[in-house]
């Protein structure tokens, strides 16, 4: 199902575990900050709505999406966390650089989920244009940050 057929912000709170005892890291790319700040706001709002406390949500910034992998790994190695949300916005430019950044970021975050023992949620928009990014970071299709927060809570308690 494509994003246009679902709203990224819709969740049934009754089905989400209470996050009041969980600790989250959020690593945020500074590229396309208009978009990443919207994703961050959506994620924090949803985490708090599900019981997470302000002092249990720790934010680090990195220059771009390519650095999200290292930033998330460093967070996991440094802090005691139950889940990490990696937030980025990659928008197609004139060259193939988009393809390399998207692929490296997706593969890097996937690798962390294999190597590390803390779930890392892929909250990276990979869009053709800024409008698609706006639509998915609090616009008409909802907020992928919200979706990522719910995924983070569910993965944090998986198997417990
Ligand atoms: N063009 C975008 C980038 N490019 C920068 C890379 O992510 C990286 O920071 C640089 O190559 C240095 O290693 N990053 C984004 O997050 N979004 C873009 O649209
Ligand atoms: C995703 C990118 O790196 C891209 O936005 C950079 O733009 P360009 O391909 O025009 O150099």
């Amino acid at each position: 199902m494509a994003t246009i057929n679902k709203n990224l912000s819709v969740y049934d709170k009754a089905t989400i575990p209470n996050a009041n005892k969980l600790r989250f890291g959020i690593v945020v790319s500074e590229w396309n900050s208009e978009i990443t700040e919207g994703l961050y706001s959506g994620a924090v709002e949803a985490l708090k709505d599900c019981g997470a406390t302000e002092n249990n949500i720790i934010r680090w910034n990195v220059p771009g999406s390519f650095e999200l992998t290292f930033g998330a790994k460093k967070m996991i190695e440094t802090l005691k966390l139950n889940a990490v949300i990696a937030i980025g916005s990659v928008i197609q430019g004139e060259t193939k650089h988009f393809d390399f950044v998207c692929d490296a970021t997706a593969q890097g975050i996937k690798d962390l989920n294999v190597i590390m023992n803390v779930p890392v949620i892929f909250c990276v928009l990979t869009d053709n244009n800024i409008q698609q990014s706006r639509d998915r970071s609090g616009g008409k299709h909802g907020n992928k940050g919200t979706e990522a927060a719910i995924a983070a809570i569910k993965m944090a308690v998986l198997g417990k």
Side-chain angles (χ1 to χ4, degrees):
M1 176 190 283
T3 296
I4 58 173
N5 297 320
K6 78 188 288 285
N7 187 294
L8 295 165
S9 296
V10 172
Y11 60 92
D12 178 359
K13 192 172 169 183
T15 68
I16 311 301
N18 190 328
N20 65 328
K21 296 193 183 331
L22 299 176
R23 197 161 148 80
F24 300 94
I26 306 182
V27 56
V28 184
S29 163
E30 293 168 342
W31 254 82
N32 300 319
S33 58
E34 171 201 338
I35 304 303
T36 59
E37 291 304 327
L39 295 169
Y40 176 77
S41 297
V44 171
E45 184 180 352
L47 289 174
K48 289 180 177 178
D49 183 49
C50 294
T53 57
E54 190 107 22
N55 61 311
N56 278 340
I57 301 172
I58 299 95
R59 173 176 172 163
W60 287 4
N61 295 333
V62 294
S65 292
F66 186 86
E67 286 75 36
L68 288 171
T69 299
F70 181 85
K73 181 172 179 288
K74 191 79 175 176
M75 274 197 123
I76 292 168
E77 292 171 341
T78 308
L79 305 172
K80 188 168 174 47
L81 300 171
N82 296 104
V84 173
I85 300 171
I87 291 179
S89 164
V90 193
I91 299 174
Q92 178 65 66
E94 294 178 337
T95 71
K96 291 173 63 177
H97 197 239
F98 171 86
D99 300 330
F100 292 98
V101 171
C102 292
D103 188 53
T105 303
Q107 293 302 319
I109 291 169
K110 178 267 292 179
D111 290 346
L112 289 181
N113 282 285
V114 173
I115 299 164
M116 311 299 280
N117 201 31
V118 173
V120 182
I121 307 304
F122 184 69
C123 186
V124 181
L125 293 177
T126 55
D127 300 313
N128 297 313
N129 54 61
I130 186 80
Q131 189 56 52
Q132 288 181 345
S133 307
R134 289 174 177 147
D135 291 345
R136 290 158 175 78
S137 56
K140 67 180 180 180
H141 296 317
N143 194 321
K144 184 163 279 291
T146 306
E147 179 193 55
I150 300 306
I153 294 168
K154 290 179 176 179
M155 292 307 291
V157 302
L158 187 73
K160 290 189 166 53

